[in-house]
Amino acid sequence: MKKKKSKKKIIIGAAAVLVVAGGVTVAGQRNSTENQIPQVQVVTAEKGDVEEIVDATGTVGSEEEKTYYSPVNAELKTVSFSQGDVVKKGTKLIEFNTENLEKDNRKAELNLKSTKYDTKDTRKKSDKAEKKQKDAKKNVQELEKKIKDKKAYVSSLKAQISAAQREAAAQAKA
């Protein structure tokens, strides 16, 4: 039993020594990599031209872009520039075909006059209808009074007829 215990102690001791030795080795390697100087490739400097070639595609545009809108609806007669042209202040860029505009303007003026006359005529008709309505309201009162008078007259005639019939019946009995 003593031999087994002593073998066990020897094995445990040896394992402990190995673990400690391994730890020291790993720690030593870490310190050595941290203290190492980095390797840099060195090239000899020479005089000469530096050239870099760029191969790319795309669209180049202006930082400023302006869109123009026409206040009139007309066809373009001429356009005196192309895309990419440089234009200067005061340069005539486009010209409109104004023949149809002049006809359309005249037509619009005639339509305006016609509308003004139609409006004037409609107002006159409205004023006339309003006067008729006022006159009719006045006549309603007069006509209601005449109806009342006629009803009273008819009632008195009925009463006279009734009285005449009673008198005739009384005379016929006598």
Side-chain angles (χ1 to χ4, degrees), residues 129-141:
E130 189 177 344
K131 186 176 185 282
K132 280 184 177 181
Q133 187 180 18
K134 285 180 181 177
D135 291 345
K137 283 183 180 177
K138 287 179 185 175
N139 290 340
V140 166
Q141 292 174 353

Side-chain angles (χ1 to χ4, degrees), residues 78-134:
T78 59
V79 176
S80 58
F81 67 95
S82 298
Q83 185 175 356
D85 287 355
V86 175
V87 293
K88 294 185 174 147
K89 185 177 181 180
T91 303
K92 184 178 184 179
L93 300 176
I94 57 175
E95 187 177 354
F96 291 105
N97 184 357
T98 58
E99 287 178 24
N100 290 337
L101 286 177
E102 291 168 4
K103 289 177 188 176
D104 291 345
N105 188 35
R106 182 68 183 143
K107 194 181 209 181
E109 286 175 355
L110 291 173
N111 284 336
L112 178 63
K113 281 183 181 179
S114 173
T115 302
K116 284 182 180 179
Y117 289 132
D118 287 347
T119 302
K120 199 174 191 180
D121 186 46
T122 302
R123 284 186 181 153
K124 283 182 182 179
K125 286 179 182 178
S126 174
D127 291 344
K128 200 175 203 181
E130 189 177 344
K131 186 176 185 282
K132 280 184 177 181
Q133 187 180 18
K134 285 180 181 177

Side-chain angles (χ1 to χ4, degrees), residues 9-23:
K9 284 182 182 180
I10 291 173
I11 292 174
I12 291 175
V17 169
L18 286 174
V19 169
V20 170

